[in-house]
Amino acid sequence: MIKWVFFDLAGVLFVEDYPQMMRILGKSMGLPADYVWEGYYHNLKERLCLWNQGRCSALEFWKPFFRLRKDASLSMKKKWVQETIDPFIPIPGTVKVLKQLKQVKLGIISNQPRKVIRHMNKQKAIMNAFDIKLVSCYLGLIKRFGDPRIFKLALKRAKTKPEECIYIDDRAVHVETAQSLGTKGIVFESPQQLKKELRALGVKF
């Protein structure tokens, strides 16, 4: 019997569209899109780990990006950072599925930096629906392929067994890591697909 359903945030409950974000920033900064992508990808893996673990600020994360405009003031940089946060808006179809779930408890397991999760927390009708929240920047622990620690922590806090849980993520590598513990998993593609797969796993609406 399924007792818990855990959600990732960006890409499942909130829009995650980096190409659109880069287009917005390129226009705002007056730079070609390929220049913007170059700044974004510079040491990206290392920067993301630090940012998602709460070990660097948004301004520090975007530092390679800001080098593309050496004339930028601090206020301009803060404006550009906000333009990377604003596109994280709720996905209506997934929110509807979330609100329709019955007879299960809800949790979050997500890699998010502080500035983004604070933005998401403003959506109180969504975020208050969750019984427990495991967010990387507050734990200093991130989801990595093959590293089950954050999922084990979720099970411990939920006081439940792996087979009683479902984990939903738009990245298959994280779903596979959760499944390695015995948790059921769904790779998110669309709200319609999500609802169908939840039903197939015995979740009631």
Side-chain angles (χ1 to χ4, degrees):
M1 179 181 175
I2 299 300
K3 296 182 179 179
W4 282 87
V5 178
F6 289 93
F7 284 77
D8 180 33
L9 290 173
V12 177
L13 272 165
F14 291 82
V15 171
E16 185 178 46
D17 188 343
Y18 283 99
Q20 174 66 6
M21 188 187 299
M22 294 302 111
R23 287 191 291 270
I24 291 171
L25 285 171
K27 184 177 180 179
S28 183
M29 296 178 74
L31 294 171
D34 56 343
Y35 274 51
V36 175
W37 277 112
E38 180 183 338
Y40 178 71
Y41 278 115
H42 182 75
N43 292 331
L44 178 60
K45 186 175 181 180
E46 179 183 348
R47 286 164 44 232
L48 270 178
C49 284
L50 292 172
W51 200 31
N52 281 327
Q53 290 178 78
R55 294 169 58 196
C56 76
S57 69
L59 288 172
E60 289 170 328
F61 173 78
W62 289 104
K63 191 173 181 179
F65 179 84
F66 295 146
R67 290 195 185 111
L68 301 172
R69 281 286 306 272
K70 295 181 180 180
D71 61 328
S73 65
L74 180 59
S75 62
M76 290 169 68
K77 292 175 182 178
K78 288 182 176 179
K79 174 179 177 290
W80 294 334
V81 167
Q82 191 58 47
E83 288 178 348
T84 71
I85 307 299
D86 290 340
F88 288 96
I89 60 174
I91 300 173
T94 313
V95 173
K96 184 177 180 180
V97 171
L98 175 72
K99 291 182 177 180
Q100 290 175 338
L101 289 173
K102 298 177 180 178
Q103 299 178 20
V104 293
K105 291 187 176 181
L106 302 171
I108 290 170
I109 304 173
S110 187
N111 286 348
Q112 294 300 330
R114 284 191 174 90
K115 196 165 184 66
V116 176
I117 194 64
R118 286 170 184 161
H119 170 77
M120 292 176 173
N121 280 336
K122 293 176 183 178
Q123 299 290 336
K124 294 182 179 180
I126 298 171
M127 300 300 283
N128 288 346
F130 293 96
D131 299 281
I132 61 173
K133 303 173 187 177
L134 287 89
V135 181
S136 62
C137 65
Y138 299 134
L139 300 172
L141 180 64
I142 60 174
K143 293 181 295 181
R144 299 174 189 258
F145 176 65
D147 183 349
R149 287 179 296 169
I150 197 168
F151 298 102
K152 286 182 177 179
L153 181 59
L155 294 172
K156 183 178 180 180
R157 289 194 180 179
K159 299 179 181 179
T160 191
K161 299 175 183 178
E163 61 270 20
E164 296 172 334
C165 303
I166 298 172
Y167 177 62
I168 304 158
D169 200 304
D170 59 315
R171 290 179 171 84
V173 292
H174 298 319
V175 172
E176 290 166 9
T177 302
Q179 288 175 320
S180 72
L181 297 175
T183 298
K184 301 181 190 306
I186 297 174
V187 180
F188 178 82
E189 297 173 6
S190 71
Q192 296 77 16
Q193 165 259 350
L194 173 61
K195 188 169 185 177
K196 182 178 179 180
E197 293 202 31
L198 285 168
R199 283 189 188 278
L201 290 171
V203 176
K204 297 186 182 299
F205 287 86

